[in-house]
Amino acid sequence: MTAVLGLPGLALHEIPEAFVPEEPRLGGAAVPVPAARLAALSSTGTVLLGRRPDDIHLREFRASVIAETRALFQVPHDHTLTVVAARPTELCHLTAAQPWAAGLKVSGTGPRATAWRSATARARETGDPTATPGTRETGDPATTTAERGAAALPATTTGARETPRPATGPGPRSATDPANPAGAWETLGPHTPALTPLAVVADEDPAWRERLEAAPAGGWRVAELTGTAEVLTGRGVRDADIAFLCPSGLLGVGVGLTVAVLSPRAKSASPGLTRALDMAGAAVGTGDLVMFAHAVRAMAESDAARAAAGREARRALVADWAATRDWVTPTARAGDALTVRLVTALPPGAVTELGRFLETAHLAYGLTDPADPHALRIGLYDSLRTADIERLLGLLDFLVARLARTTDPDQEGR
């Protein structure tokens, strides 16, 4: 097999074996799913797969999954948690379309922050504050699945969603949470100037925690927590009106589910969003829920400090490697991030071709993103082995050096 990439004549057998990762799902857009997740389908799954959505045992299982997920992410008791069959991009558009989100300010630099800004601009253009997956023009398969799944369920089925205990009013999020500034959850009076709502993208803004905590009292706060393990500490979840994340990288499950948390006032002020979550929650398949449940329990029973130390060691490995290369620079660290974004000095076309070669040759998946053409993104997930990351770094050195030789006129004919 011969590669493109400006590397004429490069065959796979020319790549040193020491540079070939055993696990190719090493990028920010690909996550290794441990074999134990699949094994759960042949244990717990044999009891639940094939049951009707309104089966009492399946409903009890869904409720237990929600309870354990709430505990894992330290969700305040009066907040609503939903596991939905949709992507964070869907919730991004729906959130930006809510009436209170007008003028939403987005913090962060990266493809997801850019997507948030695009969603906010689109909401201003359409002026539709009640958008739902059924009314917004989209071809997203996750949305289609949610609509069809909800339509097929009895009216009594709530899906992977729990109704929270009654809220005690507009006061603090939870009696056990740290006190908020006075009036942080109060409804603004008719003559009070509107506060600018804030959205943070955790792994694309190193100061996301400080921004959330420093937001003006009464201001709306949204947190996308997909790229950070700090969600396990409750940060972001308890500090925002709406928080959501794709749990794939954090928990080692397939892409397709999103965990969404709404505060009492967000639930009350966002009926369109709440309806959309109900529909997408009802569409979560039993197989996906079984693997998600296994991942939640495995994370809850793991050594959190050891896992964090492992992610930090992998991050330091990549950062130290990048510090000695003149063609790549790591972005600022954003807390306990699950990926490292590396900004390259390569032309965008070369980055694209590099990613295409790696995927076509089945050497590494998910390192590049069309929405971020100058960067590579390497995963730090708990399900990855450090040795595979070391092999990947050696492979990148090899390919970039080969590219430099074939594109440097001084090297021609040598």
Side-chain angles (χ1 to χ4, degrees):
M1 177 180 178
T2 300
V4 274
L5 216 193
L7 299 174
L10 175 64
L12 290 181
H13 67 77
E14 296 182 66
I15 300 176
E17 186 66 26
F19 297 159
V20 179
E22 294 182 10
E23 168 56 67
R25 292 167 292 184
L26 295 165
V31 179
V33 177
R37 305 284 183 269
L38 301 177
L41 292 175
S42 61
S43 54
T44 306
T46 58
V47 179
L48 298 171
L49 290 171
R51 290 180 179 267
R52 291 171 51 88
D54 60 347
D55 180 273
I56 182 62
H57 299 288
L58 185 54
R59 289 172 61 83
E60 289 176 349
F61 173 70
R62 288 175 177 264
S64 70
V65 173
I66 292 297
E68 291 191 29
T69 306
R70 292 182 66 93
L72 181 66
F73 296 147
Q74 302 183 36
V75 178
H77 73 86
D78 56 356
H79 286 40
T80 300
L81 181 143
T82 317
V83 179
V84 300
R87 298 183 236 173
T89 303
E90 290 295 308
L91 301 193
C92 166
H93 281 275
L94 289 168
T95 301
Q98 300 310 306
W100 52 262
L104 186 68
K105 178 182 178 182
V106 182
S107 76
T109 302
R112 285 204 297 278
T114 298
W116 267 100
R117 294 186 180 97
S118 297
T120 301
R122 178 177 177 179
R124 284 198 300 267
E125 293 170 0
T126 60
D128 180 9
T130 60
T132 67
T135 60
R136 189 165 56 78
E137 293 181 4
T138 176
D140 192 294
T143 299
T144 304
T145 301
E147 293 168 358
R148 293 176 181 173
L153 295 178
T156 56
T157 301
T158 58
R161 179 176 181 274
E162 178 194 58
T163 301
R165 283 175 275 174
T168 56
R173 300 170 178 78
S174 168
T176 59
D177 287 334
N180 293 317
W185 290 83
E186 295 173 4
T187 302
L188 299 177
H191 303 296
T192 305
L195 298 173
T196 301
L198 171 69
V200 298
V201 181
D203 65 327
E204 295 182 355
D205 179 9
W208 70 270
R209 295 155 297 182
E210 292 77 10
R211 293 188 203 281
L212 275 183
E213 294 167 0
W220 288 90
R221 290 169 283 190
V222 180
E224 205 211 301
L225 306 171
T226 295
T228 180
E230 289 198 54
V231 66
L232 296 171
T233 69
R235 299 192 74 170
V237 170
R238 63 171 179 259
D239 300 316
D241 293 290
I242 295 178
F244 56 83
L245 72 146
C246 170
S248 179
L250 179 65
L251 300 181
V253 294
V255 176
L257 298 182
T258 297
V259 178
V261 179
L262 271 64
S263 71
R265 75 164 181 170
K267 183 175 183 294
S268 175
S270 312
L273 178 59
T274 302
R275 285 194 302 271
L277 292 176
D278 283 340
M279 294 168 63
V284 175
T286 302
D288 287 335
L289 198 63
V290 166
M291 289 191 286
F292 175 77
H294 183 275
V296 167
R297 181 160 298 182
M299 179 62 76
E301 294 175 350
S302 67
D303 185 332
R306 181 178 180 181
R311 290 189 295 271
E312 173 57 24
R314 291 186 284 276
R315 185 203 65 79
L317 171 67
V318 177
D320 290 345
W321 169 83
T324 59
R325 273 67 180 174
D326 59 4
W327 61 273
V328 64
T329 305
T331 55
R333 180 184 177 191
D336 195 353
L338 297 172
T339 62
V340 174
R341 179 173 176 262
L342 302 170
V343 179
T344 77
L346 304 174
V351 174
T352 300
E353 291 297 334
L354 177 60
R356 183 180 303 156
F357 169 75
L358 291 170
E359 298 219 2
T360 301
H362 307 292
L363 293 169
Y365 303 137
L367 265 72
T368 59
D369 183 349
D372 197 12
H374 291 278
L376 300 172
R377 198 179 293 263
I378 297 177
L380 306 176
Y381 313 122
D382 296 345
S383 50
L384 287 178
R385 296 171 60 245
T386 300
D388 279 327
I389 296 179
E390 291 174 336
R391 287 170 174 257
L392 173 64
L393 299 179
L395 177 60
L396 292 175
D397 278 336
F398 176 82
L399 294 177
V400 171
R402 184 68 175 259
L403 174 63
R405 288 199 301 271
T406 58
T407 56
D408 186 349
D410 294 334
Q411 299 291 332
E412 292 184 3
R414 294 188 183 180

